[in-house]
Amino acid sequence: MKKYTNIDDIQDVSAIISEAKTLKSNPFAHKELGKNKTLVMLFFNASLRSRLSTEKAAKNLGMDVMSLNVNDSWNIEFEDGTIMNGNTSEHIKEAAQVIGQYADIIAIRSFPGLVNRNKDYKEMVINSFVKYSGKPVVNLESATAHPLQALADAITIEEFSQKKKPKVVLSWAPHPKALPQSVANSFVSMMQLLEVDFSITHPKGYELAPEIVKNTPVNYNQEEALQNADFVYTKNWSSYSSYGEILNNDKKWIITKQKIGAAKFMHCLPVRRNVIVEDAVLESENSIVIPQANNRTYAAQVVLKNILENL
Ligand code: AN0
Ligand code: CP
């Protein structure tokens, strides 16, 4: 693996899931692989899980880790040819190359602006680091994708599945703030690679990008969609068609105990209690959000291992 910015960077999904599970059972087996190698993590936005699990994964492989909250650094200019007499202090061309001097691998979190769809879907931040840093880049959630989350989700589904082909439903749920489509996009792309019976449910107007959804079934009736599900993956996202807008705040989309029945409940976290999902679900045996978050470490570790092996 030369980088991990998108699900497409995975060559063989079942091989990577099984390698992640092997690492989970023996996390320190490759302590020498990352010796004298440095992971630099750049945070343009907040993070709890991505930050700590990726650092832990790197340390399990013997790597050194440095983190920078980019807001504490100089404002970076991403546009080409700009006369930089405004708020930006250095250009991505220098910033990325300089970071590349200090790093063997660069991991980046950078959310979308949710104002200009074309701009967000061009993935300028992460692609600029790929282009100018000269180092492998790992996505810790970008404008349109969260591939490490999706890999952790796939590992979790495989661990908890009791069927050859479980029914997995991605359900939208309400949220007071406009959120990225990233988690949903990568989850959909990942489910399309697995042997699962997968469908999506959301209110009208929340259709994800057609090039992501492809021929995955979409049902606007949540109750119907959730019938006999084995896994209910819940996530809010803002509209793709009315880009970045909140079109619906209908409380009837909240996930309740009654709606999920015997299904396992998944969410990438952080989750707003009693907005996205009732307390009773999170506190029930059906919730697997904590093991799901734990698997972020092994998703990151398998990705870092594969990149280190290709340096
Ligand atoms: C972010 C999102 O929805 O993309 C991060 C999730 C991992 N969530 C929030 O900002 C609440
Ligand atoms: N799930 C996830 O990526 O969480 P953080 O935003 O805390 O990193």
Side-chain angles (χ1 to χ4, degrees), residues 109 111 141 146 149 175 179-180 182-183 235-236 268-270:
R109 162 154 293 194
F111 288 166
E141 188 171 347
H146 198 355
Q149 181 65 53
H175 193 280
L179 297 186
S182 314
V183 171
K235 184 71 185 81
N236 171 269
C268 64
L269 305 182

Side-chain angles (χ1 to χ4, degrees), residues 219-290:
N219 190 338
Y220 297 117
N221 182 333
Q222 188 193 41
E223 205 183 305
E224 209 177 273
L226 298 187
Q227 292 276 317
N228 302 317
D230 297 300
F231 294 90
V232 175
Y233 194 100
T234 305
K235 184 71 185 81
N236 171 269
W237 60 88
S238 59
S239 175
Y240 174 79
S241 50
S242 304
Y243 192 64
E245 285 181 32
I246 297 176
L247 306 175
N248 185 327
N249 228 332
D250 196 339
K251 287 187 182 63
K252 77 172 201 283
W253 281 81
I254 190 175
I255 300 294
T256 63
K257 235 182 146 169
Q258 187 238 330
K259 276 184 201 173
I260 68 162
K264 299 284 182 213
F265 173 78
M266 297 179 74
H267 190 282
C268 64
L269 305 182
V271 70
R272 291 197 183 217
R273 280 176 171 245
N274 304 310
V275 174
I276 294 271
V277 57
E278 285 184 342
D279 283 339
V281 174
L282 280 170
E283 285 162 18
S284 76
E285 290 207 333
N286 288 354
S287 171
I288 55 171
V289 297
I290 305 302

Side-chain angles (χ1 to χ4, degrees), residues 43 46-53 109 111 140-141 146 149 183 267-270 296:
F43 290 91
S47 167
L48 186 159
R49 282 143 286 269
S50 303
R51 184 169 189 144
L52 296 179
S53 64
R109 162 154 293 194
F111 288 166
L140 299 176
E141 188 171 347
H146 198 355
Q149 181 65 53
V183 171
H267 190 282
C268 64
L269 305 182
R296 287 295 305 273

